[in-house]
Amino acid sequence: MKAQQDQLVIYNSLKGEKEPFVPLVEGKIGMYVCGPTLYSEPHMGNMRTFINFDLIYRYLIHLGFQVKYVRNITDAGHITNSAGQEVDSIGAAAKAEQLHSLEIVYKYALKFQELQRVYNMLPPNIEPTATQHIQEQIEIIEQIIANGYAYQVNGSVYFDTRRYMQDYNYGILSGRKVDELENETRTLNAQDEKRFFADFALWKKANPDDMQVWRSPWGNGNPGWHIECTAMSTKYLGQQFDIHGGGMDLKFPHHEDEIAQSCGSFGCNPARYWMHANMLNVNGQKMSKSFGNYFLPKQILDGSTGLFEKSYSANVVRFFIMQAHYRSNLDFTQEALNASEKGYLRLMEGLKTLDHIQTTATTSFDVAALISSFYKAMNDDFNAPILVAQLFEAVKHINLINDGNASITIADKSELKAAMEVFIHDVLGLAAESNATETRLAPVMDLVLDLRQQARANKDWTTSDQIRDGLTKAGIIVKDAKDGTTWN
RNA sequence: GGUCUCAUGGCCGAGCGGUUAGGCACCGGUCUGCAAAACCGUCUACAGCAGUUCGAAUCUGCUUGAGACCUCCA
């Protein structure tokens, strides 16, 4: 697998181009991905990012890397709203639901865990929370102050962007120029404590009505939004690690500020490769809480989104996501979902058919080249859509063999089967769907279809069609094939 | 307003200078008692205008349109 490792190319947002992936320590990877803020249930757009990084994680593991995957849970922190005020979104949700902040976080953490299970996502190795790392955050803030890149005002601490810019490039990730930003930024709030508009809070003095407050050298307060990621990534992956990921919308200011904090405290950019997953769109616009055009991952499973006529399984949704590259926008539409549902079923059927096909002395197509195309696709910045296309290429060959129009040797068959299973199940994370009802129904259906087969043998079409129509009404579709009858 | 990204066949979506992406739909066929399903085949697009090149969806410029970020968001 070493050879395949060496060919991996990743698009690095930091440079705006693809580059060969070389880990800091051979064979090992440290990866940090910004997780959800648990003040509400993650919506489908949030899930797309996590599913994409799950794909990346899975492929890195498959390549044989020893990956340490850290994804945080934000359960504290003050962010800046449009009015320039620091706001505690979790606290606000707690008040609205008349619960304690920790109840809110726990409630949604459980839901998030359930979603990860349903969408077949591998759990990260560590899932740290901000509230459990207050001390680490304080220590980094102290370091930044000691290095001269932060100042305290009235119980709060702010990052000194102007001072930082004398030594480092603020905007290295997002490409923003601070002097340009200044012109377009709304006028500073009169009572703002910041010295400069681009400064951001590292620590924020407590408000009288805050539910959660922590002690610090600067008095009681809350950590700023960005500092938790710096603290936790440093603690578990070190001052510099391989991959830092997150949604495109976190690029600025969140990730830019993380870089500033790391440089300001340790003197280096925390990650060598920055990866950003693109947004999920609904009707051409980013799915977003503030736009209100979002639906929940569970709604698509039970058909209650209000946008689509029917429900879709988690595997179908996952497959749908895999058919678009992680750096592209993806439009959620009914037609596209239906297409994915059929495609997913076709792929899974193909894999099943592979088990039954007859082998011969020769193979009529290049199996090794096909398998190598799977790797080639994923090695090119995790191009899952190409991988899927190549898997369909394999399905086509399988069906041709099944119809007697192509051939495969026993050795090639077992190689192809192994490769397809690895890429479909382990890399793409698609599971074969089976449900308990089907298992219970199977003996009954065998009996019914047996009776129908007898009627058909006797050319008793009335009875055989009566059975078929009756089953159709019950939602069971009978499929007659030359080698027997199946149903679903 | 600033910065950036993108515009691909009916729909979703790859593509990074020369070859069929792929899936779905449509249409044709095979199979079938009929039907459905399944399978096979077909459909050959690249916003517009100009340029670079032997050759451009792919590079450059302009035009038009869309989106993201600049404020919380994955």
Side-chain angles (χ1 to χ4, degrees):
Chain A
M1 212 58 81
K2 182 70 173 64
Q4 293 293 349
Q5 282 186 6
D6 289 343
Q7 289 164 29
L8 179 63
V9 167
I10 293 181
Y11 181 90
N12 191 350
S13 300
L14 202 55
K15 303 189 179 159
E17 61 188 23
K18 289 182 192 171
E19 54 183 20
F21 177 72
V22 181
L24 280 165
V25 179
E26 190 176 328
K28 296 190 178 185
I29 294 175
M31 176 163 86
Y32 186 92
V33 173
C34 289
T37 301
L38 293 175
Y39 64 98
S40 65
E41 200 168 334
H43 64 232
M44 202 59 231
N46 300 315
M47 292 304 284
R48 158 123 110 145
T49 296
F50 301 136
I51 289 172
N52 275 144
F53 280 103
D54 183 58
L55 167 78
I56 289 163
Y57 178 45
R58 284 168 173 274
Y59 187 61
L60 293 175
I61 290 174
H62 172 67
L63 285 182
F65 287 109
Q66 191 183 321
V67 188
K68 192 192 272 189
Y69 175 22
V70 181
R71 188 185 58 209
N72 69 301
I73 284 175
T74 297
D75 59 350
H78 280 195
I79 45 85
T80 311
N81 74 359
S82 53
Q85 301 159 322
E86 302 287 329
V87 183
D88 173 10
S89 52
I90 294 167
K95 275 167 204 148
E97 297 193 36
Q98 296 193 310
L99 296 170
H100 190 274
S101 293
L102 284 181
E103 285 180 88
I104 288 289
V105 169
Y106 189 56
K107 174 180 164 183
Y108 293 117
L110 287 177
K111 291 195 177 187
F112 184 52
Q113 270 176 19
E114 173 65 8
L115 286 173
Q116 289 182 75
R117 194 187 59 73
V118 169
Y119 281 91
N120 201 209
M121 293 158 65
L122 296 176
N125 299 283
I126 305 174
E127 218 167 353
T129 62
T131 54
Q132 288 168 349
H133 298 80
I134 300 295
Q135 189 54 39
E136 287 84 348
Q137 297 182 61
I138 288 172
E139 283 166 16
I140 289 178
I141 296 169
E142 286 181 315
Q143 187 62 52
I144 296 173
I145 294 173
N147 291 349
Y149 300 115
Y151 55 90
Q152 34 175 321
V153 181
N154 188 28
S156 294
V157 181
Y158 294 95
F159 192 87
D160 191 342
T161 311
R162 264 188 310 200
R163 172 70 189 80
Y164 176 79
M165 285 191 293
Q166 292 169 9
D167 303 329
Y168 295 97
N169 177 6
Y170 185 81
I172 188 171
L173 177 68
S174 59
R176 270 165 219 289
K177 304 274 181 286
V178 171
D179 37 324
E180 282 172 0
L181 274 172
E182 186 165 24
N183 298 332
E184 294 112 34
T185 301
R186 295 160 185 79
T187 46
L188 270 183
N189 199 324
Q191 58 270 57
D192 204 308
E193 299 162 338
K194 295 179 195 173
R195 290 180 191 164
F196 186 51
F197 77 98
D199 294 351
F200 53 93
L202 296 172
W203 187 266
K204 192 69 191 173
K205 182 185 182 179
N207 293 314
D209 57 346
D210 278 345
M211 283 188 193
Q212 298 191 97
V213 170
W214 288 271
R215 279 198 207 100
S216 81
W218 316 285
N220 289 345
N222 282 269
W225 176 40
H226 315 298
I227 196 70
E228 63 168 285
C229 287
T230 302
M232 294 187 281
S233 63
T234 305
K235 177 167 182 179
Y236 298 109
L237 296 171
Q239 292 181 357
Q240 197 173 42
F241 49 93
D242 299 294
I243 298 171
H244 190 129
M248 206 86 113
D249 49 357
L250 295 183
K251 204 169 177 182
F252 188 89
H254 185 58
H255 290 160
E256 193 68 62
D257 289 348
E258 270 190 62
I259 292 175
Q261 288 167 348
S262 279
C263 290
S265 52
F266 316 121
C268 68
N269 188 316
R272 303 182 61 212
Y273 299 84
W274 285 82
M275 298 182 70
H276 291 96
N278 216 138
M279 302 291 101
L280 186 63
N281 285 183
V282 176
N283 299 323
Q285 195 183 37
K286 172 188 173 184
M287 179 180 287
S288 152
K289 282 200 176 108
S290 40
F291 292 153
N293 64 344
Y294 67 94
F295 55 82
L296 302 177
K298 69 176 182 209
Q299 287 181 304
I300 196 152
L301 303 177
D302 64 22
S304 65
T305 56
L307 292 165
F308 313 122
E309 287 166 6
K310 62 189 291 286
S311 63
Y312 300 90
S313 77
N315 277 310
V316 167
V317 174
R318 207 178 149 108
F319 180 72
F320 174 69
I321 288 171
M322 295 302 155
Q323 281 186 291
H325 187 82
Y326 78 90
R327 280 191 288 115
S328 296
N329 280 122
L330 173 60
D331 246 320
F332 239 76
T333 65
Q334 166 128 259
E335 227 178 334
L337 280 166
N338 285 343
S340 283
E341 184 168 52
K342 292 225 177 178
Y344 166 75
L345 260 18
R346 179 152 189 260
L347 182 61
M348 291 325 234
E349 275 306 311
L351 190 57
K352 267 196 242 171
T353 307
L354 181 56
D355 271 334
H356 312 136
I357 55 175
Q358 300 294 312
T359 55
T360 49
T362 56
T363 301
S364 56
F365 61 104
D366 193 340
V367 173
L370 191 55
I371 293 173
S372 129
S373 77
F374 299 165
Y375 284 97
K376 201 175 157 211
M378 288 302 286
N379 278 339
D380 184 13
D381 195 30
F382 309 97
N383 200 325
I386 298 276
L387 169 61
V388 170
Q390 291 307 122
L391 286 168
F392 277 114
E393 197 60 33
V395 168
K396 188 184 204 167
H397 286 295
I398 290 167
N399 287 331
L400 284 170
I401 296 165
N402 197 35
D403 290 351
N405 295 320
S407 59
I408 193 167
T409 66
I410 189 157
D412 280 344
K413 176 179 159 176
S414 85
E415 263 191 49
L416 182 61
K417 182 168 148 48
M420 284 184 76
E421 283 179 344
V422 161
F423 277 92
I424 292 173
H425 296 139
D426 300 346
V427 175
L428 293 175
L430 301 169
E433 286 178 0
S434 65
N435 58 58
T437 335
E438 255 181 45
T439 344
R440 270 196 83 199
L441 206 56
V444 182
M445 285 303 297
D446 285 348
L447 176 68
V448 173
L449 290 179
D450 201 41
L451 290 171
R452 175 162 172 273
Q453 195 46 47
Q454 283 175 31
R456 292 181 74 204
N458 297 330
K459 296 197 191 293
D460 177 3
W461 310 130
T462 319
T463 305
S464 78
D465 288 352
Q466 191 187 346
I467 293 172
R468 185 174 69 194
D469 295 346
L471 289 172
T472 306
K473 270 187 191 164
I476 296 169
I477 294 160
V478 175
K479 294 184 248 183
D480 294 327
K482 24 185 188 295
D483 53 348
T485 300
T486 56
W487 56 276
N488 66 23

